[in-house]
């Protein structure tokens, strides 16, 4: 999360044991089934590529990407 204090507060409120502000580090340390990307569209491609590098599937909220080329790039790296 880009706001670590807010993330920690919400994690505590909802009983989320593992959370972090760096997706790459988080995926290296934890096994997850998928990542639900709910950030602004301009961050989707980078986050999907990080997930793909760890062999983790990702879903995004609409819109998928800001451009067709970004969308195609994301689809090409998914496992």
């Amino acid at each position: 999360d880009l706001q670590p204090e807010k993330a920690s507060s919400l994690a505590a409120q909802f009983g989320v044991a593992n959370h972090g502000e760096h997706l790459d580090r988080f995926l290296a340390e934890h096994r997850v089934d998928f990542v639900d990307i709910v950030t602004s569209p301009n961050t989707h491609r980078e986050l999907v590529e990080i997930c793909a590098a760890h062999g983790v599937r990702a879903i995004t909220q609409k819109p998928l990407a800001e451009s067709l080329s970004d969308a195609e790039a994301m689809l090409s790296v998914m496992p």
Side-chain angles (χ1 to χ4, degrees):
D1 196 295
L2 297 176
Q3 300 173 332
E5 301 82 20
K6 185 175 180 181
S8 293
S9 174
L10 288 170
Q13 179 182 349
F14 292 102
V16 176
N18 300 309
H19 65 284
E21 63 183 288
H22 301 285
L23 181 60
D24 191 45
R25 186 178 321 147
F26 186 87
L27 293 177
E29 296 172 358
H30 303 280
R31 184 186 176 297
V32 300
D33 295 321
F34 70 95
V35 172
D36 186 2
I37 299 172
V38 295
T39 57
S40 57
N42 65 315
T43 65
H44 289 182
R45 181 176 177 174
E46 176 185 7
L47 297 174
V48 166
E49 289 173 343
I50 290 170
C51 290
H54 289 274
V56 175
R57 295 192 181 270
I59 59 175
T60 66
Q61 302 303 309
K62 294 191 283 187
L64 173 63
E66 291 188 312
S67 69
L68 179 58
S69 63
D70 278 351
E72 290 171 337
M74 286 188 274
L75 292 172
S76 73
V77 298
M78 273 287 87

